[in-house]
PDB file of all heavy atoms in Angstrom:
ATOM      1  N   ARG A 373     -14.965   3.193  -3.836  1.00  0.00           N
ATOM      2  CA  ARG A 373     -15.300   2.252  -2.774  1.00  0.00           C
ATOM      3  C   ARG A 373     -16.607   1.551  -3.137  1.00  0.00           C
ATOM      4  O   ARG A 373     -17.504   2.151  -3.718  1.00  0.00           O
ATOM      5  CB  ARG A 373     -15.421   2.963  -1.433  1.00  0.00           C
ATOM      6  CG  ARG A 373     -14.158   3.749  -1.077  1.00  0.00           C
ATOM      7  CD  ARG A 373     -14.163   4.192   0.373  1.00  0.00           C
ATOM      8  NE  ARG A 373     -13.929   3.036   1.239  1.00  0.00           N
ATOM      9  CZ  ARG A 373     -14.187   3.028   2.548  1.00  0.00           C
ATOM     10  NH1 ARG A 373     -14.710   4.093   3.115  1.00  0.00           N
ATOM     11  NH2 ARG A 373     -13.941   1.956   3.264  1.00  0.00           N
ATOM     12  N   ILE A 374     -16.725   0.291  -2.784  1.00  0.00           N
ATOM     13  CA  ILE A 374     -17.900  -0.504  -3.114  1.00  0.00           C
ATOM     14  C   ILE A 374     -18.812  -0.590  -1.897  1.00  0.00           C
ATOM     15  O   ILE A 374     -18.350  -0.932  -0.797  1.00  0.00           O
ATOM     16  CB  ILE A 374     -17.492  -1.922  -3.565  1.00  0.00           C
ATOM     17  CG1 ILE A 374     -16.456  -1.848  -4.687  1.00  0.00           C
ATOM     18  CG2 ILE A 374     -18.718  -2.714  -4.008  1.00  0.00           C
ATOM     19  CD1 ILE A 374     -16.922  -1.157  -5.933  1.00  0.00           C
ATOM     20  N   PRO A 375     -20.097  -0.283  -2.034  1.00  0.00           N
ATOM     21  CA  PRO A 375     -21.011  -0.357  -0.882  1.00  0.00           C
ATOM     22  C   PRO A 375     -21.164  -1.776  -0.346  1.00  0.00           C
ATOM     23  O   PRO A 375     -20.976  -2.756  -1.062  1.00  0.00           O
ATOM     24  CB  PRO A 375     -22.342   0.148  -1.460  1.00  0.00           C
ATOM     25  CG  PRO A 375     -21.972   0.908  -2.690  1.00  0.00           C
ATOM     26  CD  PRO A 375     -20.755   0.239  -3.244  1.00  0.00           C
ATOM     27  N   VAL A 376     -21.529  -1.867   0.930  1.00  0.00           N
ATOM     28  CA  VAL A 376     -21.789  -3.154   1.559  1.00  0.00           C
ATOM     29  C   VAL A 376     -23.226  -3.579   1.240  1.00  0.00           C
ATOM     30  O   VAL A 376     -24.157  -2.778   1.308  1.00  0.00           O
ATOM     31  CB  VAL A 376     -21.594  -3.079   3.083  1.00  0.00           C
ATOM     32  CG1 VAL A 376     -21.954  -4.412   3.746  1.00  0.00           C
ATOM     33  CG2 VAL A 376     -20.151  -2.708   3.404  1.00  0.00           C
ATOM     34  N   ASN A 377     -23.384  -4.844   0.871  1.00  0.00           N
ATOM     35  CA  ASN A 377     -24.711  -5.377   0.561  1.00  0.00           C
ATOM     36  C   ASN A 377     -25.360  -6.000   1.784  1.00  0.00           C
ATOM     37  O   ASN A 377     -26.524  -5.743   2.080  1.00  0.00           O
ATOM     38  CB  ASN A 377     -24.609  -6.408  -0.562  1.00  0.00           C
ATOM     39  CG  ASN A 377     -25.956  -6.957  -0.977  1.00  0.00           C
ATOM     40  OD1 ASN A 377     -26.470  -7.865  -0.341  1.00  0.00           O
ATOM     41  ND2 ASN A 377     -26.528  -6.404  -2.039  1.00  0.00           N
ATOM     42  N   CYS A 378     -24.616  -6.850   2.505  1.00  0.00           N
ATOM     43  CA  CYS A 378     -25.197  -7.463   3.694  1.00  0.00           C
ATOM     44  C   CYS A 378     -24.106  -7.949   4.644  1.00  0.00           C
ATOM     45  O   CYS A 378     -22.945  -8.127   4.240  1.00  0.00           O
ATOM     46  CB  CYS A 378     -26.146  -8.604   3.334  1.00  0.00           C
ATOM     47  SG  CYS A 378     -25.337 -10.046   2.636  1.00  0.00           S
ATOM     48  N   VAL A 379     -24.497  -8.146   5.893  1.00  0.00           N
ATOM     49  CA  VAL A 379     -23.622  -8.655   6.940  1.00  0.00           C
ATOM     50  C   VAL A 379     -24.383  -9.758   7.656  1.00  0.00           C
ATOM     51  O   VAL A 379     -25.559  -9.579   7.987  1.00  0.00           O
ATOM     52  CB  VAL A 379     -23.255  -7.553   7.955  1.00  0.00           C
ATOM     53  CG1 VAL A 379     -22.145  -8.034   8.889  1.00  0.00           C
ATOM     54  CG2 VAL A 379     -22.852  -6.278   7.253  1.00  0.00           C
ATOM     55  N   GLU A 380     -23.715 -10.897   7.897  1.00  0.00           N
ATOM     56  CA  GLU A 380     -24.466 -12.021   8.461  1.00  0.00           C
ATOM     57  C   GLU A 380     -23.625 -12.840   9.429  1.00  0.00           C
ATOM     58  O   GLU A 380     -22.477 -13.199   9.142  1.00  0.00           O
ATOM     59  CB  GLU A 380     -24.959 -12.925   7.336  1.00  0.00           C
ATOM     60  CG  GLU A 380     -25.848 -14.063   7.801  1.00  0.00           C
ATOM     61  CD  GLU A 380     -26.354 -14.918   6.650  1.00  0.00           C
ATOM     62  OE1 GLU A 380     -25.564 -15.181   5.724  1.00  0.00           O
ATOM     63  OE2 GLU A 380     -27.533 -15.304   6.673  1.00  0.00           O
ATOM     64  N   PHE A 381     -24.227 -13.163  10.590  1.00  0.00           N
ATOM     65  CA  PHE A 381     -23.651 -14.113  11.522  1.00  0.00           C
ATOM     66  C   PHE A 381     -24.000 -15.527  11.066  1.00  0.00           C
ATOM     67  O   PHE A 381     -25.126 -15.786  10.613  1.00  0.00           O
ATOM     68  CB  PHE A 381     -24.217 -13.921  12.928  1.00  0.00           C
ATOM     69  CG  PHE A 381     -23.653 -12.746  13.672  1.00  0.00           C
ATOM     70  CD1 PHE A 381     -24.462 -11.663  13.997  1.00  0.00           C
ATOM     71  CD2 PHE A 381     -22.320 -12.728  14.069  1.00  0.00           C
ATOM     72  CE1 PHE A 381     -23.955 -10.592  14.699  1.00  0.00           C
ATOM     73  CE2 PHE A 381     -21.803 -11.653  14.780  1.00  0.00           C
ATOM     74  CZ  PHE A 381     -22.621 -10.577  15.092  1.00  0.00           C
ATOM     75  N   SER A 382     -23.043 -16.439  11.199  1.00  0.00           N
ATOM     76  CA  SER A 382     -23.322 -17.837  10.876  1.00  0.00           C
ATOM     77  C   SER A 382     -22.522 -18.750  11.804  1.00  0.00           C
ATOM     78  O   SER A 382     -21.551 -18.332  12.444  1.00  0.00           O
ATOM     79  CB  SER A 382     -22.986 -18.143   9.413  1.00  0.00           C
ATOM     80  OG  SER A 382     -21.604 -17.972   9.182  1.00  0.00           O
TER      81      SER A 382
END
Side-chain angles (χ1 to χ4, degrees):
R373 304 193 73 197
I374 307 299
V376 176
N377 183 277
C378 68
V379 190
E380 185 178 40
F381 283 114
S382 63

